[in-house]
Amino acid sequence: MASLGLTLSCTISRLNLMSELSHNLPTIRVFKALSSRLTPQKPLHHHRLFKSSFSTLNCSKTLGSNLVFYDNLVVLGIETSCDDTAAAVVRGDGEILSQVVSSQADLLARYGGVAPKMAEEAHSQVIDQVVQDALDKANLAEADLSAVAVTIGPGLSLCLRVGVQKARKIAATYQLPIVGVHHMEAHALVARLCDRDLQFPFMALLISGGHNLLVLARDLGHYLQLGTTIDDAIGEAYDKSAKWLGLDLRRSGGPAIEELARQGDAQSVTFSVPMKQHKDCNFSYAGLKTQVKLAIESKNIDAGIPFSSASIEDQRLRADIAASFQRVAVLHLEERCERAIQWALEIEPSIKHLVVSGGVASNQYVRARLHEVVARNSLQLVCPPPSLCTDNGVMIAWTGIENFRLGRFDPPPPAIEPEDCQLDLRPRWPLGEEYERGRSIARSMRTARIHPSLTALTQASQCQKS
């Protein structure tokens, strides 16, 4: 566990976990609340991992008063992990006060995918305006906030940096606590905002352009990884297939393929379902991508000709390939989910829900097929609305609220930080520990520059406190 002993001065680490707040105590560790203006009793100091220098402040209302306080929390969430710049303001009671997203669709179309340096520049150009718009739509100023939450990983390092720097600037200026958020945890937890009856434990399938992840969510910060992608994620396969079929990528590949697939024959092109011989819950879409590319070449389809300009026959061929691809891509999801559900029920028989979130969860065909999977296993499917499946600030703010309630936040950054200050960015940051039956030898060898998982850090912190 030596890697857990990192010193993170001048960093965000939402895993500098304080003692969890008791709902029965008359005092709580806070800096601001809309219900009462509070000021620290003594100055704050720098801290190290798993330590905190928060002051304990008396709450002006005793509660059940804690419940009132938490309902009155107002958190700004900032998300810049990949190609969308997003911010939102959410109340502790779950009310979404504002949501703003600036898309990089034009850049995606121009470069045929995410170009990290271009994406970073695009984030930098709009981050101030996006955050300001989120505050304006909520009719709030920075001084009205209780805390700032921001994605610190996983994602593209250059992009993460833009959001983290903005969050730290606001937190330092207005002396606000700050919560560093795991992007994939946020995708899972936003379902608890949409369905307030969703309790731990539950299963989650998180599917996007960069991730395929099947996890057993046992508690906040405690996740068991049942399966993950060993190469390309499903969203990447959608995007590349859409590009090769000459589709308009300004909408991203997923929606473009789904729309075209409705016009095609899903049985017309034979594609092999990935990893049929592997009896685990891991995913692989690299081979399916290759099959699609070869099918396009065999039909003499010229991707340089946009779909809208292609002949009727050519459009039919493209639609058939799109439909056949989507059928097999989602069948791979179904098979992995079916096995993961069986594993999860063996571990936690009380599971009642499968949460499906991430950008690809917006796909209606995906939802329909997975609904059949959960119905066969007497579970319920929980899918956030499409606007909360794709990357957004609401999921970051809500995850910040969930963690703030347990005291998992950091003090405001110093007003003036040293030039050599290193930000805590975690581009490769696993959500949970791997389940032994689902371990992939090929993937397990790829350990360079991987940050200790969120679950491992949470457990290490709790061991220190006990």
Side-chain angles (χ1 to χ4, degrees), residues 235-291:
E236 162 75 5
Y238 266 99
D239 288 342
K240 281 295 191 294
S241 297
K243 178 183 177 182
W244 296 332
L245 289 170
L247 304 185
D248 185 352
L249 292 181
R250 286 177 296 179
R251 304 178 53 208
S252 83
I257 288 284
E258 183 181 15
E259 180 178 331
L260 181 58
R262 295 192 188 105
Q263 306 171 34
D265 178 358
Q267 303 292 335
S268 62
V269 183
T270 301
F271 293 130
S272 300
V273 179
M275 298 184 69
K276 290 287 286 187
Q277 72 278 20
H278 295 274
K279 304 306 179 184
D280 56 32
C281 299
N282 293 314
F283 302 88
S284 170
Y285 282 96
L288 182 56
K289 277 172 46 181
T290 300
Q291 291 182 67

Side-chain angles (χ1 to χ4, degrees), residues 32 76 131-132 135 140-146 166 170 174 176:
K32 290 190 177 184
L76 169 68
V131 169
Q132 190 59 54
L135 291 168
L140 295 173
E142 289 91 336
D144 297 317
L145 298 171
S146 309
K166 179 63 177 180
I170 294 173
Y174 296 93
L176 298 170

